[in-house]
């Protein structure tokens, strides 16, 4: 009997390769997308972790400035502490390498070559051999203007390299290499780096090795409690940068993974449809096996073995395809992932056998879930009736109260807070809403068809279609479940992307009011190295054709050691409601306090409350002063605004107050209003000439953009980032329509006797096809309406819960009705056509022979 079952199952799989290939492809796509996303994420994080370790080395502690650099005089004090065995001073500077094809971000690290090898050996300069030298010049690492590049930077440079300081290009010589991995990096002698970038007497961090037996925690507490310990310094364990990037990118990576699982979710429906069709076609064969002694449990096992085979094959191919996709993505796109978290890195693929087994098991599980209901149908077949062709494929009715409870529970979970920065409850809510909505289909179909029946009571063919659909509502629900699942997900993704895109468009309209924008540094870490001098800003404001100029200073501001810095924007805030896209009306600032305006991310991540003083700002702001520390001040949160450019958060402060507190009059961005906006090219040329002629630097180092150019570039990047969602929508809809075709094929095969009886009663072949087409139209119309309604509910969760909890920004819900109606219409038309085509074979059978089978 076992051999008979194997032969029976294998013959079915072998003789219908195209139909089974569709199910295998669905599982394959789901596994491939999910596994490739996992590999890209894991590889990028592993590369970042290795790069962080190679740059930071393995010290016991890192002494860092809370904001930027600190006085190097502290180094001698720390190095003499009895608990310290070794202290290594480091200066980190963010800048750009000037290349023929443009500017590339570059990190410069100044080190003491005499001690760095004991703490961070990957940063130890390795001098190159020059010309006919028999040995490399080991004194080159102490010479000014000499840099040592890591592999990523060596690919950019020749013998000489130009770096940017302010608006000045400075030329350095490439004297050798370092082993540090990761993004482009240049290592210099500490004193040479300080002189080159005007950072004399400044350090970024001191790496500490403690003596044997010294308790690290006790040492940190003793230093922090010292009365003369500077407040602008922090002692942290190595790896904080890695932890920050992990937290920052975690929500993005989880969202990508959930998006990839959509294909696996819809793939389960395709397996369900394929096996439903297979069971319907083999109903009489199953019945014959039942008469011969095959139990219902063994018939269930037989179908599950077939779904297991489809799942194993799809998962195996999916793992291979996912590995190839990840390798291609890492090669051509690097580790950026579209989110900007790993920009500039080119990680190598890190394959994990355990992850492959896990994602392969998910694919197999999806196939088994999809095959469970067809297997139950094969188990429940009545042998005698099925052999007579009387199997109706009717599903046992169920109560709609369970569906209602699932929907209510899903709605309640939308109010739950995120866990570890991830909207776990919101994802569960979406799953419950989908399952609850799909299981409520029989009740919904019955409710709607009961209202529709009186309208077609006088029309024979529509009446037959509606009457059968009413009495087979469970079967109809099974047939359109794939359409509802795929269409609801497609609608939800369409609404989410449209809402985000429209919100970004409106945001760009408000944050780009000027006619021309000039930027010195696009990288927040380079803002203290690449800037406009106060003299240049004054001269630019006096240029012919410039009606108004507003300068903005951008700096990283570390509010909390465990989180990435926020961006501090010092700009004109005379009219906050006009200058920023405020969520609510700005509040009046109390006398004697400094008004600040925080983005939504600062509210979520750092607990800023509108209308209250923000204490962390006062402590973090003090070290920003050019000389000494900024005076004490109370910072009042006067408003909250939307910022789609900085996920880590941003704080806007009036530039006049910033300059008064810090004495820093430099700028990173210029916004210019012109007398004639059409004169932007001439003003741009004048600004370049001004930089060249006044000695402020090279005009070629500035970046220009008009509002139209910036808007077009931003939206192009947005569309490219969400291109995968459009592809997933198409896959989901295609899978849903295939499910409709398979379901109708299964139904009409089981209804050949019914078609024969209708033919004996006088209906022509065309009329029988019309009845089935009406059924297809009615079923897919109900599925489209249910999918549209369910998709709108899910999109509300994505827009108002998932996005704010994941990325800490809100958006307005936008409904692109034309696109949504187009999706629904395409589903109805395609469903009607597939029903018509599926009925042709069964309706074409000889009516007499079809009915005679009952004799």
């Amino acid at each position: 009997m076992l051999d008979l079952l194997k032969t029976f199952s294998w013959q079915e799989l072998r003789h219908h390769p195209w139909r089974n290939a569709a199910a295998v492809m669905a599982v394959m796509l789901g596994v491939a997308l999910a596994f490739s996303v996992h590999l890209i994420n894991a590889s990028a994080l592993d590369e970042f972790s290795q790069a962080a370790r190679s740059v930071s080395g393995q010290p016991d502690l890192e002494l860092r400035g809370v904001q930027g650099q600190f006085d190097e005089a502290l180094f001698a004090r720390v190095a003499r502490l009895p608990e310290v065995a070794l202290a290594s001073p480091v200066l980190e500077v963010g800048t750009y390498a000037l290349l023929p094809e443009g500017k590339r971000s570059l990190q410069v690290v100044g080190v003491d070559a005499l001690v760095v090898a004991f703490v961070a050996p990957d940063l130890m300069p390795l001098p190159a051999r020059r010309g006919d030298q028999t040995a490399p010049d080991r004194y080159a690492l102490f010479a000014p203007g000499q840099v040592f590049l890591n592999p990523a930077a060596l690919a950019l440079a020749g013998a000489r390299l130009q770096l940017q300081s302010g608006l000045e290009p400075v030329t350095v010589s490439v004297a050798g290499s370092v082993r540090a991995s990761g993004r482009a990096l240049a290592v210099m002698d500490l004193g040479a780096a300080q002189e080159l970038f005007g950072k004399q007497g400044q350090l970024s961090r001191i790496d500490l090795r403690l003596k044997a037996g010294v308790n690290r925690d006790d040492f940190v507490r003793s230093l922090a409690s010292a009365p003369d310990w500077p407040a602008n310094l922090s002692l942290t364990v190595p790896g904080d940068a890695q932890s920050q990037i992990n937290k920052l990118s975690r929500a993005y990576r989880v969202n990508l993974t959930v998006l990839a699982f959509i294909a696996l979710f819809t793939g389960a429906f395709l397996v369900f449809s394929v096996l439903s069709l297979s069971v319907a076609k083999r109903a009489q064969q199953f019945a014959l096996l039942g008469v011969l002694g095959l139990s219902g449990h063994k018939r269930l096992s037989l179908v599950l073995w077939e779904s297991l085979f489809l799942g194993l094959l799809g998962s195996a191919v999916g793992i291979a395809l996912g590995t190839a996709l990840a390798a291609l993505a890492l090669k051509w796109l690097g580790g950026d992932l579209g989110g900007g978290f790993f920009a500039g890195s080119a990680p190598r693929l890190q394959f994990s056998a355990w992850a492959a087994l896990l994602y392969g098991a998910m694919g197999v599980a999806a196939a088994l879930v999809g095959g469970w209901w067809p297997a139950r149908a094969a188990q429940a077949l009545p042998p005698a009736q099925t052999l007579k062709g009387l199997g109706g494929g009717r599903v046992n009715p169920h109560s709609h109260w369970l569906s209602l409870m699932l929907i209510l529970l899903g709605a309640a979970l939308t109010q739950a807070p995120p866990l570890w920065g991830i909207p776990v409850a919101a994802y569960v809510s979406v799953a419950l809403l989908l399952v609850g909505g799909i299981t409520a289909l029989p009740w919904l179909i019955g409710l709607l068809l009961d209202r529709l029946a009186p309208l077609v009571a006088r029309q024979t063919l529509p009446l037959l279609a509606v009457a059968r659909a009413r009495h087979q509502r469970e079967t109809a629900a099974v047939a359109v479940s794939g359409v509802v699942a795929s269409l609801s997900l497609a609608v939800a993704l369409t609404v989410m992307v449209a809402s985000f895109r429209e919100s970004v468009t409106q945001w760009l309209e408000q944050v780009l009011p000027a006619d021309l924008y000039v930027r010195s540094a696009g990288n927040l870490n380079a803002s203290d190295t690449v800037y406009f001098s106060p003299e240049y800003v004054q001269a630019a404001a006096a240029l012919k054709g410039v009606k108004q100029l507003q300068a903005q200073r951008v700096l990283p501001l570390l509010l909390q050691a465990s989180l990435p810095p926020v961006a501090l924007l010092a700009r004109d805030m005379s009219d906050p409601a006009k200058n920023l896209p405020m969520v609510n009306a700005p509040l009046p600032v109390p006398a004697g306090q400094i008004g600040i305006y925080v983005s939504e991310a600062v509210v979520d991540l750092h607990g800023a409350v509108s209308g209250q003083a923000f204490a962390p700002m006062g402590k973090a702001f003090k070290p920003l002063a050019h000389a000494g520390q900024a005076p004490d001040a109370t910072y009042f949160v006067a408003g909250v605004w939307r910022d789609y450019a900085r996920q880590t958060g941003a704080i806007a402060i009036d530039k006049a107050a910033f300059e008064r507190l810090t004495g820093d009059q430099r700028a990173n961005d210029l916004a210019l209003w012109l007398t004639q906006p059409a004169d932007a090219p001439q003003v741009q040329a004048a600004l370049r000439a001004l930089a060249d002629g006044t000695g402020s630097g090279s005009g070629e180092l500035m970046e220009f953009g008009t509002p139209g150019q910036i808007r077009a570039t931003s939206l192009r990047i947005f569309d490219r980032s969400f291109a995968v969602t459009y592809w997933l929508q198409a896959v989901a809809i295609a899978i849903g329509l295939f499910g409709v075709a398979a379901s109708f094929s299964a139904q009409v095969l089981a209804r050949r006797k019914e078609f024969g009886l209708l033919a004996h009663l006088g209906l022509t072949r065309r009329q029988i096809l019309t009845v089935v087409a009406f059924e297809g139209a009615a079923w897919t119309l109900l599925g489209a309406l249910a999918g549209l309604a369910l998709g709108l509910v899910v999109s509300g969760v994505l827009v108002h819960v998932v996005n704010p909890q994941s990325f800490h920004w809100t958006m307005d819900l936008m409904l692109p009705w034309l696109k949504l109606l187009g999706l629904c219409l395409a589903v109805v038309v395609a469903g009607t056509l597939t029903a018509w085509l599926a009925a042709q074979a069964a309706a074409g059978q000889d009516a007499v022979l079809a009915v005679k089978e009952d004799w």
Side-chain angles (χ1 to χ4, degrees), residues 507-514 517 548 550-552 569-582 586 597 641-642 652-655 671 673:
W507 177 77
L508 288 171
E509 292 287 345
Q510 189 163 1
V511 299
L512 298 173
Y517 291 87
Q548 181 186 354
Q550 288 185 1
Q552 176 176 272
L569 313 179
R571 55 184 299 174
D572 176 38
M573 295 301 298
S574 56
D575 189 355
K578 181 180 178 181
N579 294 338
L580 293 174
M582 305 295 296
Y597 304 85
W641 57 288
R642 287 180 178 174
I653 185 174
D654 188 71
K655 195 167 189 300
W673 285 260

Side-chain angles (χ1 to χ4, degrees), residues 75-331:
F75 173 76
R77 172 185 171 183
V78 172
R80 288 195 299 265
L81 291 173
E83 298 90 345
V84 175
L86 186 68
S88 175
V90 179
L91 174 67
E92 297 171 321
V93 178
T95 185
Y96 292 97
L98 309 179
L99 307 172
E101 60 271 20
K103 299 197 298 184
R104 285 285 300 271
S105 179
L106 180 74
Q107 184 181 19
V108 177
V109 180
V111 300
D112 183 348
L114 298 178
V115 295
V116 70
F118 300 99
V119 179
D122 286 346
L123 289 182
M124 181 63 191
L126 303 173
R129 186 175 300 175
R130 298 294 184 187
D132 57 353
Q133 290 180 342
T134 58
D137 182 8
R138 300 188 180 279
Y139 293 101
L141 54 90
F142 301 106
Q146 305 289 310
V147 296
F148 301 81
L149 306 181
N150 74 337
L154 280 171
L156 306 176
R160 302 180 74 80
L161 182 66
Q162 280 194 324
L163 306 180
Q164 184 174 354
S165 177
L167 289 182
E168 290 282 351
V170 292
T171 303
V172 294
S173 299
V174 179
S177 62
V178 293
R179 292 194 302 265
S181 59
R183 64 184 61 186
L185 180 75
V187 176
M188 301 182 66
D189 174 67
L190 176 61
Q194 291 174 327
E195 182 180 357
L196 187 68
F197 293 101
K199 305 288 185 183
Q200 288 87 349
Q202 298 182 37
L203 297 176
S204 298
R205 76 172 194 261
I206 302 175
D207 295 333
L208 301 178
R209 281 278 182 88
L210 303 181
K211 292 181 178 178
V214 175
N215 184 281
R216 183 171 61 186
D217 294 335
D218 292 341
F219 176 70
V220 171
R221 281 192 293 268
S222 65
L223 276 186
S225 61
D228 56 344
W229 182 252
N232 64 328
L233 296 176
S234 66
L235 272 170
T236 60
V237 296
D240 275 359
Q242 180 185 349
S243 174
Q244 288 178 2
I245 203 70
N246 256 312
K247 293 178 180 178
L248 179 61
S249 64
R250 182 171 52 198
Y252 182 78
R253 291 181 281 117
V254 169
N255 275 276
L256 275 180
T257 303
V258 170
L259 193 62
F261 278 136
I262 289 176
L264 197 57
F265 177 77
T266 51
F269 279 96
L270 185 51
V271 174
F272 164 76
S273 300
V274 166
L275 290 179
S276 294
L277 175 59
S278 175
V279 169
K281 281 191 171 184
R282 294 180 292 162
Q284 292 186 333
Q285 299 176 29
F286 279 116
L288 179 59
L289 290 174
V291 171
L292 293 175
L294 187 68
S295 65
H297 178 73
K298 289 184 178 179
R299 293 197 298 270
L300 179 141
S301 300
L302 181 63
V303 178
L304 286 181
W305 275 109
E306 292 178 10
S307 63
L308 176 63
F309 176 80
L310 295 176
L312 287 172
L313 183 57
S315 296
V317 179
I319 292 297
L321 179 60
T323 305
L325 288 175
L328 288 175
L330 292 173
K331 178 179 180 181

Side-chain angles (χ1 to χ4, degrees), residues 470-495:
R470 289 177 65 193
H471 293 290
Q472 296 286 335
R473 63 187 63 179
E474 298 284 340
T475 303
V478 170
V480 301
S481 61
V483 167
V484 174
S486 58
L487 183 61
S488 61
L489 291 170
V491 166
L493 290 174
T494 300
V495 173

Side-chain angles (χ1 to χ4, degrees), residues 328-419:
L328 288 175
L330 292 173
K331 178 179 180 181
W332 297 108
L333 303 177
D336 190 16
L337 306 180
F341 303 107
F342 308 102
S345 64
R348 291 175 296 177
L349 180 67
Q350 301 290 332
F351 184 84
S352 170
W354 287 109
L357 288 175
L358 175 63
Y359 282 88
M362 289 181 183
V364 172
L368 289 174
V369 169
W372 173 255
W373 283 273
R376 290 293 304 273
Q379 180 186 27
L381 281 175
Q385 294 182 2
T386 304
L387 281 175
K388 285 178 167 287
L390 298 177
R394 183 180 178 91
V395 183
N396 293 328
H398 68 277
S399 172
H400 64 273
W401 290 108
L402 176 60
S403 305
L404 183 60
M405 292 300 297
L406 290 175
I407 293 174
L408 291 177
L409 179 59
L413 285 177
T414 60
Q415 306 303 312
L419 298 176

Side-chain angles (χ1 to χ4, degrees), residues 524 554-557 564-569 602 641 643 646 648-652:
L524 186 64
V554 184
L555 285 174
L557 186 69
V566 303
L568 179 64
L569 313 179
V602 179
W641 57 288
D643 183 17
R646 306 167 187 88
T648 59
I651 299 176

Side-chain angles (χ1 to χ4, degrees), residues 31-45:
V31 172
L33 283 172
F35 187 56
S36 63
V37 168
H38 167 80
L39 286 180
I40 294 170
N41 287 328
S43 300
L45 285 171

